[in-house]
Amino acid sequence: TQLLEQSPQFLSIQEGENLTVYCNSSSVFSSLQWYRQEPGEGPVLLVTVVTGGEVKKLKRLTFQFGDARKDSSLHITAAQPGDTGLYLCAGEEKERNLIFGKGTKLSVKP
Amino acid sequence: ETGVTQTPRHLVMGMTNKKSLKCEQHLGHNAMYWYKQSAKKPLELMFVYNFKEQTENNSVPSRFSPECPNSSHLFLHLHTLQPEDSALYLCASSQEPGAGNTEAFFGQGTRLTVV
């Protein structure tokens, strides 16, 4: 069974702190995506990484795809209350559907 | 209107009721999906339609019945549900699944409560 593990499961921090969220699997992915979901809403795509070792930046968010394309990390610098939400990673294997991790629930307190 | 739209946003139904969830996408995508999201569980893929043909049914009970009349519309017909079926039901669309760099666009979901 394919499995994407995310850690930590929950994270509560103060505004201005930095944090890193991890997504790990034993499977190799052709691409990996990160989504953010706010309460009562559907997930919204943040970024897609495709190449091993790739790093993408989206304002204060930095996404990295592992060299072997089995894992990824999301780093947030100087977190703000607006970053609060559920962060989901999803991996795509060749000719197969996306598989999602359980997510990391982030709470940023003012 | 753009993106993926789901109706209704909230639904409360009894175990003997029949109801339908609707999803519509205006992104020109070929694939549409139903996911179930329950507390403390990862997103569970229920059904996949690619070019209107069902390509995946992840052992979903027959009380859930999907329908895809065209590439832009997807329905989930509900009949004699159980309280444990209460969850957020999410519709998504994408280009052809598994073709590489598939990005899913989600609707806002239908919060279903079975009483």
Side-chain angles (χ1 to χ4, degrees):
Chain A
T1 303
Q2 309 149 352
L3 198 62
L4 257 179
E5 294 195 13
Q6 288 191 241
S7 61
Q9 202 173 344
F10 300 96
L11 192 53
S12 181
I13 61 172
Q14 292 296 129
E15 183 176 0
E17 291 183 18
N18 302 330
L19 67 116
T20 302
V21 172
Y22 300 93
C23 177
N24 294 288
S25 176
S26 57
S27 299
V28 176
F29 297 111
S30 56
S31 71
L32 192 140
Q33 295 148 31
W34 286 93
Y35 295 79
R36 181 171 66 211
Q37 184 179 18
E38 298 185 17
E41 303 290 331
V44 175
L45 180 68
L46 296 174
V47 79
T48 301
V49 285
V50 178
T51 307
E54 183 176 2
V55 175
K56 280 194 174 178
K57 292 195 174 185
L58 187 65
K59 297 183 181 177
R60 294 174 293 100
L61 278 60
T62 302
F63 305 85
Q64 184 158 10
F65 201 12
D67 291 340
R69 291 186 286 130
K70 293 182 179 182
D71 54 87
S72 182
S73 64
L74 158 59
H75 182 79
I76 301 179
T77 304
Q80 298 178 1
D83 296 326
T84 293
L86 179 68
Y87 288 82
L88 295 160
C89 66
E92 180 186 13
E93 292 183 290
K94 192 175 180 183
E95 297 179 4
R96 304 193 70 157
N97 295 308
L98 285 176
I99 57 167
F100 281 84
K102 285 187 181 182
T104 293
K105 196 167 184 180
L106 172 65
S107 174
V108 182
K109 300 186 189 313
Chain B
E1 190 174 343
T2 59
V4 181
T5 304
Q6 288 187 244
T7 55
R9 291 293 309 276
H10 301 272
L11 179 61
V12 179
M13 60 185 288
M15 289 189 282
T16 58
N17 290 161
K18 286 185 183 180
K19 295 286 184 184
S20 295
L21 309 185
K22 180 182 175 183
C23 178
E24 189 173 352
Q25 60 100 358
H26 302 276
L27 300 168
H29 288 157
N30 299 316
M32 295 187 78
Y33 311 77
W34 281 116
Y35 285 89
K36 176 183 178 182
Q37 189 175 37
S38 308
K40 300 181 182 178
K41 285 188 179 180
L43 273 172
E44 298 174 68
L45 180 63
M46 300 174 72
F47 302 104
V48 180
Y49 278 82
N50 194 19
F51 292 96
K52 300 189 300 176
E53 298 297 321
Q54 187 178 127
T55 58
E56 188 141 349
N57 174 341
N58 269 356
S59 303
V60 180
S62 59
R63 56 186 184 269
F64 294 91
S65 175
E67 179 190 358
C68 187
N70 55 61
S71 293
S72 299
H73 294 85
L74 185 65
F75 296 90
L76 187 62
H77 304 299
L78 314 172
H79 176 50
T80 58
L81 295 192
Q82 305 298 312
E84 59 264 29
D85 295 323
S86 299
L88 182 68
Y89 287 84
L90 290 160
C91 171
S93 70
S94 75
Q95 298 295 350
E96 187 174 356
N101 202 8
T102 299
E103 298 172 344
F105 291 79
F106 285 86
Q108 293 175 303
T110 295
R111 173 64 64 184
L112 174 67
T113 304
V114 182
V115 297

